[in-house]
Amino acid sequence: MANVVVVGAQWGDEGKGKIVDWLSERAHVVVRFQGGHNAGHTLVIDGTTYKLSLLPSGVVRPGRMSIIGNGVVLDPWALLAEIDALRGQGVHVGPDNVRVAENVPLILPLHRNLDAAREKALGNARIGTTGRGIGPAYEDKVARRAIRLGDLADPAVVEAKLDTLLLHHDALLRGMEMPKIDRAAVLSELLEVAPKALPYADTVWKTLDEVRRAGKRILFEGAQGTMLDIDHGTYPFVTSSNTLAGQAAAGSGLGPGALNYVLGITKAYTTRVGSGPFPTELNDETGRLLGERGREFGTVTGRARRCGWFDAVLVRQAVKVNGINGIALTKLDVLDGFPQIRVCTGYRLDGNTLDHLPASSVRQMRVEPIYEVMQGWTDSTRGARSWADLPATAVKYIRRIEEMIEAPVHLLSTSPERDDTIMVHDPFVD
């Protein structure tokens, strides 16, 4: 039985939540391996909407274990609030079905404050972060001054680490002419949250090794998307972690040999939240219509997403750097009724044709898309559950996408509802 990694193949918001939830029926354990509560997943199950930011999407399924790996940065207050919200919707959540790596770094209020202050100082050059402290928390992790979940068990360790942390953060705030951090207040908050968060702490790498050895299926859930990866994305307009499939190993504590299949999620068109390059962006009526039909608003921020045509160059690049075995294509129904549909097949820059998105942010901003025009369809694809339910021109569109991105479509999602999914190949059958 295969273990499956699910990653976004665009700029995030591809519909990973629904796909992970759908696949979790076949899995025993679902693992988040990077990012923080800046990642939003919306699930619609039997007419009920669940909005998740930190917990793995499989948490809404009874009998599944949900794990937050060490590659995540954890806001313990956000975690507890999300747990309370799900309990209010009748979902069972507790230490028996949710485990958090004891070595996960914590996001503190001072990280959120620094995040917001930096974005404000950057003005029009801002990155477009969610302001939730993700970046500053990762900075403290790699600088070896982070407070981790397991540290909360020892107040003396918390105090010592907090002093080291404040030495750095107070210096930053002085440089921005902002008041220093109230040490007593931060310490009080940490000591108060400790007994609430610590019951979820676990030696996750050991738990996952036991699960793997028992032959159980593991589903790894990525956040954001490939083009927001700190190394391979549209830097500097990216998130602060590696969003690629390879991070599933390092971010959970399992070796790469445990990753058997990589499923990339991509919309039938393209969206992006926040600042940064977007070659196929449509600032016209078509772009507005895509956003309206697709209900393109961020789960976490509520911000309207920028919309454009499908970028096969960008997705093909994601296929290569992730080692994607198959694609889950989502929101095909949003394209219903368009007489013509465009697909980006290459970029033009300074008279040259490019078959990839260059690493330079300056060059990324200047590339012009080269389009192939395809015939649209008038019949509805919404709610289709077999290939026979799809218009012939929609199938042709899918087949052409497969050719251009050099990967097969193994799943097709035709609405937000869990069961409106067509499976061509089961990712768990290696």
Side-chain angles (χ1 to χ4, degrees), residues 261 263 325-328 402 408-412 422-425 427:
Y261 178 99
L263 180 69
N325 301 101
I327 287 288
E402 291 178 317
V409 172
H410 281 173
L411 287 172
L412 185 65
I422 301 171
M423 183 168 67
V424 181
H425 171 79

Side-chain angles (χ1 to χ4, degrees), residues 375-408:
Q375 181 184 352
W377 53 89
T378 55
D379 294 338
S380 174
T381 63
R382 187 174 179 84
R385 297 187 181 181
S386 73
W387 286 100
D389 295 333
L390 299 174
T393 44
V395 174
K396 185 177 180 181
Y397 177 72
I398 296 167
R399 296 305 184 206
R400 181 64 181 127
I401 283 177
E402 291 178 317
E403 292 174 2
M404 289 187 284
I405 66 174
E406 299 178 18

Side-chain angles (χ1 to χ4, degrees), residues 224-246:
Q224 289 91 33
T226 297
M227 290 302 148
L228 291 176
D229 183 87
I230 188 68
D231 290 310
H232 296 278
T234 49
Y235 188 91
F237 300 97
V238 292
T239 193
S240 299
S241 62
N242 287 111
T243 62
L244 302 188

Side-chain angles (χ1 to χ4, degrees), residues 275-297:
S275 308
F278 187 169
T280 65
E281 182 174 12
L282 297 171
N283 295 304
D284 58 11
E285 180 62 20
T286 300
R288 186 198 66 76
L289 192 57
L290 286 172
E292 186 178 276
R293 287 184 178 182
R295 298 181 181 179
E296 296 296 352
F297 296 93

Side-chain angles (χ1 to χ4, degrees), residues 23-287:
L23 288 173
S24 66
E25 185 177 20
R26 297 164 175 77
H28 301 95
V29 179
V30 185
V31 184
R32 269 287 305 275
F33 58 85
Q34 52 76 215
H37 63 306
N38 57 338
H41 299 314
T42 300
L43 309 179
V44 181
I45 302 168
D46 297 329
T48 301
T49 299
Y50 302 93
K51 293 193 175 184
L52 307 176
S53 297
L54 189 56
L55 290 165
S57 299
V59 73
V60 299
R61 281 194 183 270
R64 304 302 186 274
M65 180 184 292
S66 294
I67 288 180
I68 296 175
N70 57 274
V72 172
V73 283
L74 179 85
D75 183 323
W77 298 276
L79 172 67
L80 295 170
E82 193 167 316
I83 288 172
D84 285 343
L86 283 177
R87 286 173 175 168
Q89 290 185 280
V91 178
H92 170 71
V93 186
D96 60 316
N97 68 336
V98 172
R99 308 280 179 84
V100 183
E102 60 187 354
N103 54 336
V104 71
L106 299 183
I107 300 174
L108 309 182
L110 57 86
H111 292 124
R112 295 195 296 269
N113 294 339
L114 180 59
D115 204 354
R118 282 176 170 171
E119 284 287 89
K120 183 178 179 180
L122 286 170
N124 292 334
R126 62 186 179 274
I127 302 299
T129 73
T130 59
R132 299 196 169 203
I134 310 298
Y138 273 117
E139 289 177 38
D140 284 336
K141 173 185 177 177
V142 298
R144 302 180 295 278
R145 56 177 171 259
I147 296 175
R148 306 200 291 185
L149 178 61
D151 295 332
L152 297 182
D154 190 334
V157 170
V158 172
E159 286 206 56
K161 286 199 167 189
L162 182 58
D163 287 338
T164 301
L165 200 58
L166 294 186
L167 186 67
H168 173 75
H169 279 264
D170 282 340
L172 289 178
L173 294 174
R174 269 198 310 274
M176 291 188 284
E177 298 182 345
M178 295 180 64
K180 64 185 299 186
I181 295 161
D182 186 337
R183 178 186 184 277
V186 176
L187 180 60
S188 175
E189 288 180 293
L190 283 170
L191 296 180
E192 182 185 2
V193 80
K196 302 173 185 176
L198 280 172
Y200 295 94
D202 188 27
T203 310
V204 157
W205 64 266
K206 187 172 182 293
T207 297
L208 286 174
D209 181 65
E210 292 167 355
V211 167
R212 182 183 65 83
R213 288 177 179 275
K216 295 181 179 179
R217 291 171 170 174
I218 305 171
L219 180 60
F220 297 89
E221 176 183 12
Q224 289 91 33
T226 297
M227 290 302 148
L228 291 176
D229 183 87
I230 188 68
D231 290 310
H232 296 278
T234 49
Y235 188 91
F237 300 97
V238 292
T239 193
S240 299
S241 62
N242 287 111
T243 62
L244 302 188
Q247 177 62 17
S252 66
L254 273 183
L259 313 179
N260 308 116
Y261 178 99
V262 180
L263 180 69
I265 316 297
T266 179
K267 284 176 182 169
Y269 52 102
T270 311
T271 63
R272 176 166 199 172
V273 171
S275 308
F278 187 169
T280 65
E281 182 174 12
L282 297 171
N283 295 304
D284 58 11
E285 180 62 20
T286 300

